[in-house]
Amino acid sequence: MSAAVTGRAWVFGDDVDTDALAPGQHMKDGIEALAAHCLESLDPDFAGRVAPGDIVVAGRNFGMGSSREQAAMALKELQVGAVVAESFARIFFRNAINLALPVLACREARTVAPGDRLRLDPPTGALVNETRGRTLACDPLPEHLLAMIADGGLLPHLKKRLKAAAA
């Protein structure tokens, strides 16, 4: 994965849980309907206003709670370009990578304000806040995870590797 992610910042606090990302009462409705309710308990306008490539920025423990992969799926369905947070719940982190959603830890995430224009380079971990003229250092993703994201997630990545091994 070499393409930078650019978009507007949507800023949330600590302990954003999977029920806020994928509300339980909408789990049976399919991913498109579920995504329409993504983060509505924290920002009722989020799903209707987030644009392709926008970046979710948060504090500590983003994606805590249940192991539902629909939390990352809802963000992908809304075409969120990446999530940057001080830290992630491990299951959410892995679910996001498996679904080809870049997620990077950044100790300075709280310096980003809602609406700031951001450019994120996942291979280097550089998060450029174009609004404020600052570059923040995120933990870059390892090459094998970048390859998985570039291939479209875990399943397409495994299919590609199996096909190459069979050739």
Side-chain angles (χ1 to χ4, degrees):
M1 172 179 200
S2 60
V5 178
T6 59
R8 174 175 50 157
W10 290 85
V11 179
F12 299 93
D14 294 336
D15 301 321
V16 174
D17 66 24
T18 54
D19 200 47
L21 292 158
Q25 66 269 32
H26 300 287
M27 292 288 284
K28 66 185 179 319
D29 299 335
I31 191 60
E32 187 176 323
L34 180 65
H37 298 281
C38 182
L39 293 167
E40 74 181 357
S41 64
L42 302 176
D43 181 345
D45 297 326
F46 175 76
R49 295 188 55 222
V50 67
D54 282 355
I55 299 172
V56 170
V57 180
R60 293 183 314 271
N61 205 23
F62 187 88
M64 65 173 272
S66 74
S67 60
R68 62 179 75 156
E69 66 183 2
Q70 292 89 343
M73 280 181 182
L75 293 171
K76 283 289 290 185
E77 178 70 20
L78 294 171
Q79 299 179 43
V80 166
V83 181
V84 173
E86 285 184 19
S87 64
F88 292 91
R90 296 308 303 164
I91 292 174
F92 175 85
F93 181 90
R94 193 57 206 213
N95 283 338
I97 296 293
N98 288 349
L99 294 169
L101 176 64
V103 285
L104 283 85
C106 179
R107 286 171 284 294
E108 297 180 278
R110 290 182 199 268
T111 66
V112 175
D116 282 356
R117 295 291 308 167
L118 304 176
R119 186 176 71 247
L120 175 66
D121 184 43
T124 66
L127 177 65
V128 178
N129 186 327
E130 295 172 346
T131 302
R132 303 188 185 282
R134 280 189 77 198
T135 300
L136 309 177
C138 299
D139 297 339
L141 292 173
E143 188 59 41
H144 71 283
L145 296 183
L146 291 169
M148 188 181 303
I149 291 169
D151 289 343
L154 177 62
L155 292 179
H157 181 69
L158 290 175
K159 286 177 185 176
K160 178 181 174 183
R161 290 185 61 190
L162 289 171
K163 184 177 179 180

